Amino acid sequence: MSLVFEHSTLGQRVLFGSGKAASNLAAEVARTGAQRVMVIAAEFEAPIAAAVTRDIEVALNYDDVAPHVPIEKAEKARVAAAEHGIDLLVCIGGGSTTGLAKAVAMTSGLPIVAVPTTYAGSEATNVWGLTEAARKTTGVDDKVLPATVIYDAALTISLPIDLSVASGLNALAHCVDSMWAPRADPINQALAAEGIRALSAGLPTIKDNPDNLAGREQALYGAYLSAVAFASAGSGMHHKICHVLGGAYNLPHAQTHATVLPYVLAFNAPAAPEAAQRIAAAFGSEDSSGGLTLLRQRLDAPTALKNIGFAQENITEAVDLILPYIPESNPRPVDQESLTKLLQAAYSGATPEF
């Protein structure tokens, strides 16, 4: 059968090297000719930000960061950037920090240099997200794609094991969703498969030895691949569910993705056998869900939405909020009954069976 597909690859500079973040950032600032740099980093990451920016001149250090990028936080950061005449944004941290930088870039057009400290992957996508009145809105805009990403596995060592696991599984969810998202194609499926392989190799190493840079490099490499695949393939059923849950009920981003993933995989895999086979092969398993289950057990991953702040009485409302966003291209039709069953299982942590 002949191959027919349309694929877009986003243009982005990637600098990867453990212990090289500060020197790579200084080189990027010099290369761009930036004179007024705004560094965005959460307060708790201030020591990391100080180390990474030691060789550049900073016009504004900004730490008013919050999960899911509340619109008020975005507008405040936009004003600060304008008042200080900023010409380059440098974000150092996880998805919330990158998300705030994107919110500023979306209205200002300012370039971003992203320095991730987690495996969120937002740094490699042109997807933005904002939360207003407990509703999270996402969109796509090339203006928010960071011009450069600086990866340094040494910066992730301070990330606790449980957050490393959740963040890594969030990246793995990007890979799985990319197998059947609206713009899935053979190129992003290949990237996603390699991302699954790298993450499933790196995360157990981190679990066993948090200081092991080789494991963290594999996880960071896998996270990048997952994000590139996701940016090309688009947002599938898994991400639509998690974005609604996170925005409406203020659930922690990475843990929500880590918890919901096995349920979406179990739901979609029977209707997408070729994708499921690729996922299984990437895990080194005969079965996609079985491979994910073994990895999650190995990592002691989050298992139930009830443990991260989701209330059972919100399931009916959540189903109503999520259903309109499920892509028509999802491998298996989704209705109120099936989505309710999925959320009830994810809420309780029951074995995913569909």
Side-chain angles (χ1 to χ4, degrees), residues 249-342:
Y249 307 106
N250 196 31
L251 303 185
H253 182 84
Q255 292 89 335
T256 302
H257 281 268
T259 302
V260 171
L261 176 58
Y263 298 95
V264 175
L265 177 57
F267 182 82
N268 273 342
E274 290 186 9
Q277 187 175 20
R278 296 191 75 162
I279 294 169
F283 279 127
S285 171
E286 294 184 1
D287 173 71
S288 59
S289 288
L292 177 60
T293 297
L294 288 175
L295 177 64
R296 286 172 50 82
Q297 290 173 345
R298 178 83 171 73
L299 298 174
D300 192 24
T303 57
L305 290 174
K306 66 181 180 181
N307 296 332
I308 58 171
F310 185 60
Q312 188 171 19
E313 57 265 27
N314 289 327
I315 290 177
T316 300
E317 179 190 47
V319 168
D320 291 338
L321 292 173
I322 293 166
L323 265 179
Y325 293 102
I326 301 294
E328 291 184 7
S329 60
N330 193 65
R332 184 173 171 182
V334 182
D335 56 21
Q336 194 165 30
E337 181 180 354
S338 59
L339 186 54
T340 298
K341 183 178 179 181
L342 188 153

Side-chain angles (χ1 to χ4, degrees), residues 191-216:
L191 292 171
E194 172 64 1
I196 292 171
R197 185 210 61 76
L199 286 159
S200 61
L203 291 175
T205 303
I206 295 171
K207 175 76 171 176
D208 291 342
N209 182 3
D211 295 330
N212 185 295
L213 274 181
R216 290 188 177 274

Side-chain angles (χ1 to χ4, degrees), residues 8-321:
S8 296
T9 299
L10 299 176
Q12 186 178 64
R13 181 177 173 86
V14 175
L15 302 174
F16 198 111
S18 296
K20 297 182 179 297
S23 59
N24 280 337
L25 177 59
E28 278 302 285
V29 172
R31 188 180 70 86
T32 61
Q35 300 295 313
R36 304 283 298 171
V37 178
M38 177 178 180
V39 175
I40 302 175
E43 186 176 0
F44 73 91
E45 300 224 68
I48 291 177
V52 171
T53 60
R54 64 175 182 261
D55 297 329
I56 67 169
E57 186 173 338
V58 179
L60 175 63
N61 283 296
Y62 195 87
D63 64 6
D64 193 4
V65 177
H68 307 296
V69 195
I71 187 67
E72 315 83 62
K73 302 285 188 184
E75 291 173 347
K76 183 180 174 184
R78 290 165 177 168
V79 170
E83 288 180 343
H84 287 79
I86 299 301
D87 60 3
L88 177 67
L89 302 169
V90 174
C91 53
I92 303 169
S96 298
T97 303
T98 307
L100 184 61
K102 287 182 172 185
V104 176
M106 183 166 55
T107 56
S108 66
L110 290 171
I112 301 171
V113 174
V115 187
T117 60
T118 72
Y119 310 114
S122 175
E123 69 279 353
T125 79
N126 57 354
V127 178
W128 56 266
L130 291 169
T131 301
E132 184 173 10
R135 297 293 180 266
K136 187 169 185 177
T137 302
T138 61
V140 175
D141 189 331
D142 286 346
K143 284 190 295 186
V144 310
L145 176 72
T148 304
V149 184
I150 295 173
Y151 287 108
D152 184 340
L155 302 182
T156 69
I157 287 179
S158 63
L159 193 65
I161 292 178
D162 60 336
L163 288 180
S164 295
V165 166
S167 183
L169 289 173
N170 178 21
L172 204 144
H174 285 100
C175 295
V176 171
D177 233 13
S178 296
M179 292 291 183
W180 42 56
R183 299 189 304 276
D185 65 45
I187 296 175
N188 46 51
Q189 287 176 329
L191 292 171
E194 172 64 1
I196 292 171
R197 185 210 61 76
L199 286 159
S200 61
L203 291 175
T205 303
I206 295 171
K207 175 76 171 176
D208 291 342
N209 182 3
D211 295 330
N212 185 295
L213 274 181
R216 290 188 177 274
E217 286 176 345
Q218 281 295 301
L220 209 51
Y221 163 64
Y224 168 70
L225 292 174
S226 78
V228 173
F230 175 70
S232 174
S235 185
M237 176 182 176
H238 172 88
H239 281 78
K240 296 304 185 183
I241 291 172
C242 293
H243 285 165
V244 169
L245 293 178
Y249 307 106
N250 196 31
L251 303 185
H253 182 84
Q255 292 89 335
T256 302
H257 281 268
T259 302
V260 171
L261 176 58
Y263 298 95
V264 175
L265 177 57
F267 182 82
N268 273 342
E274 290 186 9
Q277 187 175 20
R278 296 191 75 162
I279 294 169
F283 279 127
S285 171
E286 294 184 1
D287 173 71
S288 59
S289 288
L292 177 60
T293 297
L294 288 175
L295 177 64
R296 286 172 50 82
Q297 290 173 345
R298 178 83 171 73
L299 298 174
D300 192 24
T303 57
L305 290 174
K306 66 181 180 181
N307 296 332
I308 58 171
F310 185 60
Q312 188 171 19
E313 57 265 27
N314 289 327
I315 290 177
T316 300
E317 179 190 47
V319 168
D320 291 338
L321 292 173

